[in-house]
Amino acid sequence: MKNHSLSVLSIITTMCLFVSLNLMGQNKDLPNVIILATGGTIAGSAESGTQAGYTSGQVGIETMIEAVPGIKELANVTGEQLSNVGSQDMSVAIWIKLANRINELLATDDVDGIVITHGTDTQEETAFFLNLVVKSDKPVVTTGSMRPSTAVSAEGPLNLYNAVAIAADTKAKGHGVLVVMNDQIHSAHGVTKTNTTSVQTFMSPMHGLTGAVLYGKHEFYHEPHGIHTTNSEFSLDGVTTLPRVDIVYGAVDSPADLIEASIKSGARGIVIAGVGNGNMNAATLAACKKAAATGIKVVRSTRVPTGYVLRNAEVNDDENGTIASDELNAQKSRVLLMLALLKERSTEEVQRLFYTY
Ligand code: ASP
């Protein structure tokens, strides 16, 4: 026990030293911002500046920082390479590593804000996950780009500049995790990717923008919706993985046996990306009711890009044992349900979480 405490203490001391050494020699008047790089198109490269094909996650964080003129005038910037993947390969294992590192860094007085560089494909999921498990009100900002670093008019450097400017600003405290792309500030709760290739891809259709940013100068319009970070009831203490939750997509005559197949493969929760207001065909609803009766949590979300999924609208949730996703799209519903399933919870309790986060 004693040896264990000693080794924990020495690890903590080494880490504190590592952080302070990294920041040594930097400007004491500037805030300290750490950039945690995970990959994505912002770190992508192609053979020519005008081709559509490229490979994500090729460029290291130091090169990315060097590509941003003036970034070091905003903050003392230190980069750490956490992973280097296209965000289609983002994983629960990287999420947990990322969240633990953020919590560790923000717990020290040496770090004022965090920027995470990330692919755009799953950025909204990572931002929402972090929004629920980061235990600090200091700024945490995710960013990325749609064009690889080698493209003509690559927008990654300006996105990174803007993200650092916001992470360095104490006014960004208490807003939860923010997504900064293309001169816009979005909340993790509200943001979604809406276009496969356009630079203007992220939107917040339900609540609107959280703010705007222009060459680092920024303004916040309103507080993000939903409980987050320091007020969130979720914690990753002792957590090494998350329960499996599958998304089943609704369409005309879609097969109901996908639900059973998911459960057989180990899913403890199912999210329906339903048609319209979280609707599904009769066979799928019957399969959901059967699954819910055995304790599987079934959340009705929607494949429609905007709008609420209302409890007991066309589907009687009380009768079927299902949960309405309220404002969350299918991919964010999955994140919330994975965290909800870390603990034994009743269906009513999980419904409360969907109204709250
Ligand atoms: N597939 C890339 C990714 O998500 C797309 C991007 O970053 O824009 O990593």
Side-chain angles (χ1 to χ4, degrees), residues 3 6 20 22 45 57 79 88 100 107 120 156 166 181 188 203 231 235 249 277 282 303 331 335 352 356:
N3 275 346
L6 269 177
S20 12
N22 254 335
S45 73
Q88 55 270 46
N100 287 340
T120 60
I166 292 164
M181 289 279 295
M203 293 197 192
N231 291 319
S235 157
Y249 201 89
N277 192 349
R303 66 180 197 175
Q331 54 273 32
V335 174
R352 178 191 66 78
T356 315

Side-chain angles (χ1 to χ4, degrees), residues 289-343:
K289 185 176 183 177
K290 194 169 150 206
T294 67
I296 301 289
K297 297 289 185 284
V298 182
V299 172
R300 291 187 308 108
S301 182
T302 178
R303 66 180 197 175
V304 179
T306 68
Y308 296 95
V309 170
L310 299 170
R311 192 171 172 84
N312 295 332
E314 279 189 75
V315 174
N316 188 326
D317 292 294
D318 295 343
E319 227 173 77
N320 290 289
T322 46
I323 295 151
S325 72
D326 195 45
E327 291 189 3
L328 295 182
N329 63 21
Q331 54 273 32
K332 286 189 199 167
S333 295
R334 176 172 174 263
V335 174
L336 181 56
L337 189 54
M338 287 196 286
L339 286 169
L341 289 170
L342 283 172
K343 210 173 109 178

Side-chain angles (χ1 to χ4, degrees), residues 159-176:
N159 285 344
L160 187 54
Y161 182 88
N162 284 336
V164 168
I166 292 164
D169 181 7
T170 50
K171 286 201 295 300
K173 274 183 160 190
H175 288 277

Side-chain angles (χ1 to χ4, degrees), residues 40-41 54 56 86-88 119-121 145-146:
T41 298
Y54 64 94
S56 277
S87 73
Q88 55 270 46
T120 60
D121 289 353
S145 75
M146 292 298 284

Side-chain angles (χ1 to χ4, degrees), residues 9-271:
L9 194 72
S10 67
I11 291 170
I12 293 172
T13 316
T14 317
M15 280 177 156
C16 292
L17 240 164
F18 172 72
V19 170
S20 12
L21 279 178
N22 254 335
L23 299 171
M24 239 171 62
Q26 299 188 321
N27 187 339
K28 282 202 183 65
D29 298 328
L30 289 178
N32 299 322
V33 172
I34 311 282
I35 304 177
L36 301 176
T38 70
T41 298
I42 192 167
S45 73
E47 266 163 33
S48 90
T50 49
Q51 71 187 62
Y54 64 94
T55 313
S56 277
Q58 298 295 298
V59 178
I61 182 59
E62 294 310 329
T63 312
M64 281 161 63
I65 294 172
E66 289 313 318
V68 188
I71 199 169
K72 290 181 179 159
E73 284 146 39
L74 296 171
N76 296 313
V77 174
T78 310
E80 276 184 39
Q81 194 77 48
L82 232 102
S83 66
N84 213 350
V85 295
S87 73
Q88 55 270 46
D89 284 319
M90 187 44 60
S91 64
V92 167
I94 301 175
W95 273 358
I96 292 174
K97 186 172 154 195
L98 180 62
N100 287 340
R101 186 65 182 136
I102 293 170
N103 282 329
E104 186 174 60
L105 288 166
L106 292 183
T108 75
D109 291 338
D110 290 330
V111 180
D112 299 296
I114 302 275
V115 169
I116 299 132
T117 55
H118 195 292
T120 60
D121 289 353
T122 61
Q123 189 161 160
E124 66 195 81
E125 285 156 80
T126 299
F128 187 59
F129 170 73
L130 294 175
N131 204 41
L132 301 180
V133 298
V134 165
K135 299 287 166 206
S136 170
D137 69 351
K138 291 180 190 172
V140 176
V141 181
T142 76
T143 192
S145 75
M146 292 298 284
R147 295 180 180 143
S149 65
T150 47
V152 172
S153 292
E155 87 282 26
L158 185 53
N159 285 344
L160 187 54
Y161 182 88
N162 284 336
V164 168
I166 292 164
D169 181 7
T170 50
K171 286 201 295 300
K173 274 183 160 190
H175 288 277
V177 175
L178 298 168
V179 175
V180 171
M181 289 279 295
N182 205 30
D183 297 351
Q184 298 181 331
I185 309 173
H186 301 264
S187 74
H189 173 97
V191 72
T192 192
K193 184 174 181 176
T194 64
N195 189 289
T196 51
T197 54
S198 169
V199 166
Q200 180 46 40
T201 185
F202 283 100
M203 293 197 192
S204 294
M206 296 291 282
H207 292 272
L209 290 177
T210 299
V213 53
L214 197 62
Y215 300 108
K217 305 269 179 300
H218 51 276
E219 190 184 340
F220 288 98
Y221 301 151
H222 56 75
E223 288 300 313
H225 182 86
I227 292 179
H228 57 77
T229 56
T230 46
N231 291 319
S232 164
E233 65 207 85
F234 300 106
S235 157
L236 289 183
D237 279 352
V239 172
T240 53
T241 189
L242 296 178
R244 175 168 163 171
V245 173
D246 289 351
I247 298 177
V248 175
Y249 201 89
V252 167
D253 219 6
S254 55
D257 55 11
L258 292 176
I259 309 249
E260 213 169 294
S262 270
I263 297 166
K264 272 205 188 115
S265 303
R268 291 183 43 216
I270 304 281
V271 173

